[in-house]
């Protein structure tokens, strides 16, 4: 027999090739004698050889010998694997089945027990050939043998199909088809509860997915799903004991979870999904003391309470808080754990340390929590902490009475009303009930992940309460479990499910809005969602202070971070974030590193959500002592802002007194905390929480440092006015981080540098509301970047072993303030440019994309954009990147090409024409060709490629148009733009194409009006302005139609008439849309169309007047109100995006009137008089309304 599966020194060991994931066996088998591993395997082989030597014989002696051999094989100790190969097990089981005829019920039961025992204990998955025989044998046994054998046979069948679902295809009709064995045995009519449970377990194991193997076909998935659902919906039968019922529910829940996870089952039917959610909600509270939930058969999606007519949730009476002494704990029962079948979880006794009151009240309950360490240091300056007075959190409503005392008290044996055996059974019962709740929550989590968010949020009110009172099943929610469940594992599962619901809920929660306190006849949906958000904050903060398990505490804080990230605090009343902020402060010093990390994550969420918020701005200015305890701290104390600097070297800090926070009366404690976390050594080791840090590490654990750097980056992004005071200190932190060996620390240091650079740039933007005196001085910015460039940043840029770091360093380098760059020494400027041009040739696509983008930023710098050599070098580098195989590289290169062509346009407006004269025509030709090619690429590339094409067509000089090759490339460029305008691509592409078309129309050197492509260009724009479903694209096309400056650019009269009629039609259709989001652009669209019409009138010639007159005769009554609105809109304070103010607009109409009046029309032409009369009447009405 081959031994290649086992270690060379021993014949026992776990076999990686046959291990079954997620198969946990109950109990603790006897430990195998370590000095005799070979005898175990030898004993199995001896017994196996004796059994295999037998031949089918119906004699009494043969049956007796088979009985004895099966008993010995079952009793053999396999706890260490026994040195048994899987093929030996399969061979033995097949021969044993051949020896046992189906008429011998006792032997069939025993051989089934052997199959179950060996496959479970040794974790063997039977090969396909032997599986066929064993499955056929088990199926036949279920049909022919007595009913009392069915439980054992089903256990064997469950072990056989576990992990083998894809190999059981030909047996599925017999097992799961119409009238199939498992369908019958799992039916509610099955009289034996154990048989029913075992059959459901078989079905659950069949539904288990194995990666890389085919899954159950959809009809069988539906059969299993209905069987599981029916099982969960049916009540416990009188003849079924509680533990069997719990195991039955567990198996059904695992089956549904497997269907959702492995089978990717889609719950598309409302009835089906509603029925599942109803039973899951009921199962979530199975056996929870004090809670009895009555649920309808189906939950329907609705934001309103559904079950007000049903009886309220009934709370079982609980003992008063004072009945339990503060330090009393119940001993664990010593009941021998029951061995579970393959695929089931082993029993776990709930730890007594996990039991806790949800919201402790005054007196001994609170004292007990304090002794057990559940209460963190109370925030200083935060009156009304949950551990003060009646238990109400600061600024929160008092805790409702059902939550103010424990519903499940553990008492000592002397206080118990039942015997030790009864107590052991009750403890065991509680453990099984908790596993049902955990299974329901795990299944609910899979359901949440398998359905669309918009469908999920229809059931929001069923799982997230919007009221603190327990008046109906609707208010029994996931937070009820988080606050009341005695099992810490169940509480963690509930929090995971709640986090999954909250993840990505920003759009749904954005409707929340606090309304006035006046009573209304109805509650708006926005107020209901706002109430849910407030209730989530209240309950999670209660759970936070009551929790004693570090693992569950971490889940609470992560859930809070998810809630904070998605809540619309700008639409809610103040104080929600203040409560979270004050409650989380003490946990920054928690002994468990995971709690500390998640606390920093929550603080990062607070400073990043809807930043900047005035409430958070005030919180950041709180004194550093507020809420930070000083006992058993895991982080260093903070004193002077420069506490962490030992001996600053060089001019970095010595010359930066202007950026030092030393003069600030209230330095930001959070920034100081994060800096200390990043750079200071640990002050002692934290028990039980620092496993993630390397032994002997000189710093706090790496996850803490990374999270602190992320919080600093969030602060720099959202609250730069707070962070800018620490600019030079943060610069030294960045240098320290980027000088370390850990690439992740270096990477986060580079990200922080990028955020600081971006924050400085935002201050200097023309539309910045900051006064010049509040900005970071340019001299200080120069000093900051000089320190960065003389520090480890150049090394990071050249660190080819870590391309991600290189790319982040490129992004950081692109965030330098243009004014500061021009003030840097020329050596540093040359270094930046040279490094970026070099990295643009990198073989790593991530680095190449970042370098291309950085070059696109630099080409806009005022000190570089007129440098012909730099612009040309950058253009060649970008054109090379446009040919890359990576879409990301091409997208970044196209963006940079758009920026470079913007620079060309800016340089056209300078009085010095030397740039245009010196810029290479050959390079211009290459850029046009590359842009045309890129316009046929994916949308991410195309949107910027068409932008570049428009700029290039605008930049072309008359000297270029004289050359035949330019005339040809111009036509190709315009055709590319026409194609992009008309294509069904992303709206951003079409908008950019219309913008580019208008940009090209500004160039008088182009043969617009005479070139063959003119009619196609106008046709594309008129088609879009009348029919595009996106109004922003329509606005841009109307703007492009109003840009040609001379009548001949519009071509012959027929083409002019087509454009006029299209604009009038577009005006008629300016409110025709099925998307309500487009309505907000209606006014802007009408304004732009009216501007285009007036512009066309101001250029009209005699041949154009008949068409205009005819159009006004038919549509004048429709057009005139819009023209009047166009004239009035600026005066009313709504410019609607039009480029002209009210005075400019009425001047446009006057100019058009004067122009039309001066046109030499043929004698007898009535159109001119009609147009002039229309314009005069319009102006008269307008001036009358202004005077009024």
């Amino acid at each position: 027999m081959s031994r290649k599966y086992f270690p060379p020194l021993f014949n026992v060991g776990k076999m990686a090739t046959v291990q079954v994931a997620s198969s946990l066996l109950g109990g603790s088998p006897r430990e195998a004698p370590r000095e005799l591993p070979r005898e175990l395997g030898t004993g199995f082989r001896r017994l196996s050889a004796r059994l295999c030597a037998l031949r089918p014989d119906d004699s009494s002696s043969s049956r007796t010998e088979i009985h004895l051999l099966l008993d010995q094989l079952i009793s053999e100790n396999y706890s260490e694997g026994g040195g048994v190969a899987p093929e030996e097990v399969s061979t033995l089981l097949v021969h044993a089945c051949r020896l046992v005829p189906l008429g011998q019920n006792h032997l069939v039961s025993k051989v089934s027990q052997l199959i179950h025992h060996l496959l479970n204990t040794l974790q063997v998955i039977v090969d396909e050939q032997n599986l066929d025989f064993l499955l056929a044998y088990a199926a036949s046994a279920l049909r022919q043998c007595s009913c009392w054998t069915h439980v054992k046979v089903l256990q064997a069948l469950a072990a056989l199909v576990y992990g083998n679902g894809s190999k059981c295809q030909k047996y599925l009709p017999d097992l799961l088809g119409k009238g199939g064995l498992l369908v019958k045995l799992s039916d509610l009519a099955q009289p034996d509860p154990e048989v029913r449970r075992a059959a459901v377990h078989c079905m659950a194991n069949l539904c288990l997915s194995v990666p890389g193997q085919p899954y159950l076909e959809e009809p069988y998935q539906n059969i299993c799903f209905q069987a599981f659902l029916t099982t969960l919906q049916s009540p416990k039968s009188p003849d079924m004991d509680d533990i069997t019922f719990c195991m039955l529910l567990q198996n059904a829940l695992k089956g549904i979870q497997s269907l959702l996870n492995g089978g990717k089952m889609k719950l598309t039917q409302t009835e089906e999904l509603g029925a599942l959610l109803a039973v899951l909600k009921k199962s979530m509270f199975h056996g929870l003391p004090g809670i009895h939930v009555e649920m309808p058969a189906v939950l329907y999606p609705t934001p309103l309470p559904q079950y007000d007519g049903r009886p309220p949730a009934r709370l079982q009476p609980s003992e008063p808080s004072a009945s339990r002494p503060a330090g009393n704990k119940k001993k664990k029962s010593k009941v021998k754990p029951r061995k579970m079948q393959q695929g089931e979880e082993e029993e776990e006794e709930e730890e007594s340390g996990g039991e806790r009151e949800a919201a402790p009240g005054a007196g001994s309950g609170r004292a007990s929590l304090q002794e057990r360490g559940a209460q963190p240091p109370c925030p200083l300056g935060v009156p009304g902490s949950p551990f003060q007075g009646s238990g109400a959190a600061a600024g929160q409503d008092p805790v409702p009475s059902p939550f103010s005392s424990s519903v499940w008290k553990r008492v000592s044996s002397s206080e118990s009303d039942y015997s030790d055996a009864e107590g052991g059974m009750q403890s065991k019962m509680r453990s099984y009930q908790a596993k049902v709740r955990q299974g329901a929550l795990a299944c609910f989590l899979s359901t949440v992940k398998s359905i669309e968010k918009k469908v999920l949020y229809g059931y929001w009110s069923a799982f997230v309460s919007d009221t603190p009172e327990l008046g109906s099943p609707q208010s029994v929610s996931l937070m009820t479990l988080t606050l009341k469940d005695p099992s810490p594992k169940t509480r963690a599962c509930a929090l995971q499910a709640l986090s999954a619901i909250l993840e990505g809920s920003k759009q749904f929660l954005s409707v929340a809005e606090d309304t006035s306190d006046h009573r209304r006849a109805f509650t708006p949906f926005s107020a209901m969602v706002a109430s849910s958000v407030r209730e989530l904050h209240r309950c999670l903060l209660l759970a936070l202070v009551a929790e004693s398990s570090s693992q569950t505490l971490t889940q609470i804080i992560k859930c809070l971070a998810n809630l904070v990230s998605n809540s619309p605090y700008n639409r809610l009343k103040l104080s929600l974030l203040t409560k979270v902020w004050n409650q989380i402060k003490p946990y920054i010093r928690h002994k468990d590193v995971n709690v500390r990390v998640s606390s920093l994550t929550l603080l990062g969420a607070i400073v990043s959500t809807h930043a900047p918020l005035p409430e958070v701005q005030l919180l950041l200015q709180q004194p550093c002592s507020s809420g930070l305890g000083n006992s058993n701290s895991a982080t260093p104390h903070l004193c002077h802002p420069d506490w962490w600097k030992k001996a600053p070297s060089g001019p970095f800090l010595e010359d930066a007194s202007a950026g030092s926070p030393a003069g600030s009366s209230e330095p930001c404690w959070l920034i100081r905390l994060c800096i200390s976390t990043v750079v200071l050594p640990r002050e002692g080791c934290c028990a039980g929480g620092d496993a993630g840090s390397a032994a002997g590490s000189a710093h706090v654990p790496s996850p803490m440092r990374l999270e602190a750097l992320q919080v600093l980056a969030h602060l720099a992004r959202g609250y730069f006015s707070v962070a800018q005071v620490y600019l030079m200190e943060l610069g030294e932190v960045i240098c320290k981080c980027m000088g370390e060996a850990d690439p992740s620390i270096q990477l986060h240091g580079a990200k922080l540098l990028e955020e600081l650079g971006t924050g400085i740039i935002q201050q200097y933007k023309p539309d910045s509301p900051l006064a010049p005196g509040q900005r970071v001085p340019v001299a200080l910015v120069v000093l900051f970047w000089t320190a960065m460039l003389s520090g480890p940043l150049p090394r990071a840029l050249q660190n080819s072993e870590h391309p991600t770091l290189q790319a982040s360093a490129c992004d950081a380098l692109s965030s330098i303030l243009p004014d500061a760059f021009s003030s840097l020494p020329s050596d540093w400027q040359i270094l930046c440019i040279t490094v970026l041009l070099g990295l643009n040739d990198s073989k790593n696509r991530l680095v190449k994309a970042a370098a291309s983008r950085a070059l696109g930023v630099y080409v806009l710098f005022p000190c570089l954009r007129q440098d012909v050599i730099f612009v040309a070098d950058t253009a060649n580098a970008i054109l090379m990147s446009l040919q890359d195989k990576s879409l990301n590289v091409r997208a970044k290169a196209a963006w940079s090409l758009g920026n470079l062509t913007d620079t060309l346009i800016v340089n056209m407006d300078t009085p010095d024409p030397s740039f245009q004269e010196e810029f290479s025509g050959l390079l211009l030709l290459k850029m046009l060709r590359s842009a045309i090619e890129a316009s046929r690429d994916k949308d991410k590339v195309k949107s910027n490629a068409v932008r570049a094409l428009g700029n290039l067509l605008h930049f072309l000089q008359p000297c270029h148009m004289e050359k035949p090759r330019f005339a040809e490339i111009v036509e190709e460029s315009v055709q590319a733009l026409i194609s992009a305008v008309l294509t069904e691509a992303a709206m951003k592409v079409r908008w950019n194409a219309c913008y580019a078309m208008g940009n090209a129309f500004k160039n008088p050197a182009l043969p617009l009006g005479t070139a063959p492509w003119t009619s196609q260009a106008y046709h594309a724009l008129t088609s879009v302005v009348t029919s595009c479903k996106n109004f922003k694209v329509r606005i841009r096309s109307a703007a492009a139609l109003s840009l040609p400056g001379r009548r001949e650019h519009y071509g012959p009269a027929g083409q002019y008439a087509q454009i006029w009629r299209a604009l009038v039609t577009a005006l008629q259709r300016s409110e025709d849309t099925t998307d309500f989001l487009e309505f907000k652009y209606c006014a802007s669209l009408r304004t732009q169309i009216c501007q285009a019409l007036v512009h066309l009138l101001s250029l009209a010639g005699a041949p154009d007047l008949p068409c205009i007159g005819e159009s006004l005769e038919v549509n004048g009554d429709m057009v005139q109100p819009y023209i009047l609105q166009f004239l009035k809109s600026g005066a009313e304070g709504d410019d609607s995006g039009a480029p002209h103010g009210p005075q400019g607009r009425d001047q446009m109409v006057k100019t058009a009137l004067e122009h039309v009046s001066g046109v030499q029309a043929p004698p007898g032409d009535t159109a001119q008089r009609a147009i002039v009369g229309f314009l005069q009447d319009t102006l008269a009405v307008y001036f009358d309304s202004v005077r009024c």
Side-chain angles (χ1 to χ4, degrees), residues 347-510:
E347 280 181 43
E348 294 177 3
E349 293 294 332
E350 297 297 334
E351 299 177 4
S352 59
E355 308 286 344
R356 56 86 167 104
E357 296 179 38
S364 63
R366 182 174 62 186
S368 174
L369 267 176
Q370 289 173 338
E371 288 179 11
R372 284 162 45 201
Q375 178 186 3
C378 197
L380 301 179
V382 187
S385 171
F387 289 103
Q388 299 173 359
S390 64
Q396 294 172 342
D397 298 331
V399 184
S401 57
F403 287 161
S404 59
S405 63
S406 176
V407 294
W408 187 334
K409 303 293 183 183
R410 286 194 168 193
V411 293
S412 65
S413 56
S414 61
E415 297 169 321
S416 172
D417 293 330
Y418 47 83
S419 66
D420 288 344
E422 289 173 334
M425 285 305 296
Q426 292 233 0
S427 176
K428 187 176 182 181
M429 187 67 242
R430 289 199 296 267
S431 175
Y432 274 94
Q433 289 171 339
K435 286 185 181 299
V436 173
R437 299 196 296 274
Q438 292 159 21
L441 288 165
C443 192
F444 177 67
L445 180 62
S446 298
T447 306
V448 168
K449 293 179 177 179
S450 68
I451 60 179
E452 295 182 26
K453 290 290 184 183
K454 63 182 180 182
V455 176
L456 170 67
Y457 294 137
Y459 300 93
W460 172 273
S461 58
F463 297 95
V464 181
S465 177
D466 62 352
T467 174
E469 289 81 22
L470 286 177
S472 69
Q474 196 72 5
S475 60
V476 179
S477 65
L478 290 170
M479 285 312 308
T480 309
L481 291 170
T482 303
L483 289 167
K484 295 179 70 68
D485 200 291
S487 162
K489 186 174 180 182
T490 309
R491 298 196 295 271
C493 288
L495 289 160
Q496 284 180 326
L498 182 57
S499 285
I501 293 175
L502 290 172
E503 190 174 351
S505 63
K506 182 173 288 188
Q507 185 176 0
F508 171 73
L509 295 182
S510 65

Side-chain angles (χ1 to χ4, degrees), residues 848-1093:
K848 193 169 187 175
S852 293
R853 181 192 170 277
L855 287 171
V857 173
Y858 274 44
V859 80
L860 294 174
F861 285 5
C863 63
L864 294 176
R865 66 189 177 207
Q866 290 189 336
D867 185 338
V868 177
I869 296 176
F870 169 72
V871 173
D873 288 344
T874 301
N876 283 311
I878 291 170
L879 294 181
M880 183 180 67
S881 295
L882 269 177
Q883 307 302 318
D884 197 88
K885 294 180 180 178
S886 166
L887 175 61
N888 188 41
V889 173
R890 297 198 306 276
K892 299 292 186 186
W895 180 82
S896 295
L897 181 62
N899 283 7
L900 190 145
T901 56
D902 286 342
T903 290
L904 299 183
I905 302 302
V906 171
N907 287 336
M908 289 177 66
D909 297 331
T910 58
D912 184 6
S914 59
F915 183 89
Q916 291 95 307
E917 294 170 358
E918 295 176 17
F919 196 78
S920 167
L922 184 60
L923 180 57
L924 202 58
L925 208 60
K926 286 173 61 179
M927 292 168 69
L928 280 164
R929 288 199 181 103
S930 294
I932 292 169
E933 188 65 29
S935 71
R936 304 187 184 106
D937 206 330
K938 303 289 185 183
D939 286 351
K940 289 174 70 175
V941 181
K942 188 184 298 185
S943 61
N944 282 299
V946 295
R947 175 166 73 100
L949 273 177
N951 282 333
L952 289 169
L953 290 173
H954 185 185
F955 180 76
L956 290 176
Q957 306 299 308
C959 62
H960 297 130
M961 299 307 301
E962 295 170 358
K963 300 174 183 177
R965 56 183 177 177
F966 271 98
E968 182 181 338
I969 201 73
V970 164
E971 182 168 1
E972 288 183 38
S973 300
V974 174
Q975 291 295 342
L977 291 179
I978 292 169
S979 176
V981 168
L982 294 174
T983 186
E984 291 299 326
M987 292 305 165
K988 183 179 179 181
V989 174
R990 304 183 73 181
W991 189 96
N992 276 1
C994 292
Y995 181 88
M997 196 83 82
N999 208 355
F1001 288 173
K1002 295 177 185 177
N1003 188 352
L1006 288 184
L1008 183 62
T1010 58
W1013 46 261
T1014 302
S1015 61
Q1016 298 174 40
Y1018 283 128
H1019 173 73
L1021 292 172
T1022 54
S1023 172
V1024 167
V1025 81
T1026 56
S1027 61
C1028 183
K1029 64 182 181 181
N1030 186 284
F1031 276 24
K1032 293 171 78 173
V1033 177
R1034 288 200 207 182
I1035 293 168
R1036 184 45 55 190
S1037 60
L1041 289 170
S1042 66
L1043 284 172
R1046 290 155 58 182
R1047 170 61 187 84
E1048 54 266 29
H1049 290 163
Y1050 285 100
Q1055 190 165 280
Y1056 179 97
Q1058 179 191 2
I1059 296 169
W1060 175 272
R1061 284 193 292 266
L1063 288 169
V1064 172
T1065 302
L1067 200 58
Q1068 285 179 308
R1069 298 177 180 175
S1070 58
E1071 292 185 0
D1072 294 351
T1073 179
T1074 56
D1075 188 351
F1076 74 95
L1077 294 175
E1078 298 296 329
F1079 278 112
K1080 60 183 176 181
Y1081 301 114
C1082 287
S1084 296
L1085 175 60
R1086 289 193 290 268
T1087 297
Q1088 195 63 65
I1089 294 173
C1090 289
Q1091 181 183 328
L1093 288 171

Side-chain angles (χ1 to χ4, degrees), residues 558-579:
K558 287 181 177 178
C559 192
L560 266 171
N562 244 337
L563 175 62
V564 167
S565 297
N566 291 284
S567 295
Y569 294 102
N570 53 338
R571 295 168 59 90
L572 301 173
K573 293 177 182 176
L574 297 178
S575 81
L576 284 179
L577 282 175
T578 302
K579 293 172 186 175

